[in-house]
Amino acid sequence: MSEKEIINKVAQSPLITFNLEDYLPSRTAELDLCALVDGGLLREEAFRNTLKAHDFSPYENTVVRLYLSEDLILPAWSYSALEQIDRPWHREYLGAQFRNFLEPVF
């Protein structure tokens, strides 16, 4: 039998390879929304004022996990209040466990 040369067609293809770890965010942080609520009772005006007064600069250019450390029901308007503030972070994830909150990115 004649032996044919084995040609690596994958190496010759225009495919590029990259390491996903190169795209992991350099910084991650957590923000407990319960810390922004006074006494476990969420009132719209007080919540909006707290959001305006809160210093969000430690979260600049980070991926932030928003979570609730206590049982608290967030009304529908609270999400729009969070959207209206000038957030310095890159992206946020609500409610994910810390160990797997980056899974939606990858």
Side-chain angles (χ1 to χ4, degrees):
M1 291 182 106
S2 67
E3 292 186 30
K4 291 185 178 181
E5 182 181 346
I6 298 174
I7 299 172
N8 186 346
K9 292 184 180 182
V10 173
Q12 295 175 349
S13 70
L15 295 175
I16 58 170
T17 59
F18 56 92
N19 187 355
L20 286 178
E21 290 178 353
D22 295 339
Y23 296 94
L24 277 173
S26 59
R27 294 180 55 206
T28 58
E30 294 182 298
L31 176 59
D32 182 9
L33 295 178
C34 289
L36 303 176
V37 176
D38 185 33
L41 185 60
L42 194 60
R43 294 196 173 126
E44 185 172 2
E45 184 177 351
F47 184 66
R48 288 182 188 273
N49 291 337
T50 303
L51 287 176
K52 288 178 187 174
H54 189 74
D55 179 24
F56 290 105
S57 62
Y59 305 106
E60 189 168 350
N61 297 323
T62 62
V63 174
V64 178
R65 178 180 84 99
L66 304 177
Y67 73 99
L68 298 168
S69 61
E70 302 171 12
D71 288 336
L72 182 70
I73 297 173
L74 291 178
W77 56 261
S78 63
Y79 298 104
S80 62
L82 284 166
E83 289 295 320
Q84 291 174 0
I85 62 172
D86 186 23
R87 299 176 318 251
W89 55 72
H90 174 66
R91 181 179 279 173
E92 74 271 355
Y93 297 98
L94 183 62
Q97 297 294 323
F98 187 74
R99 69 184 188 294
N100 61 355
F101 89 101
L102 286 176
E103 284 179 4
V105 176
F106 298 101

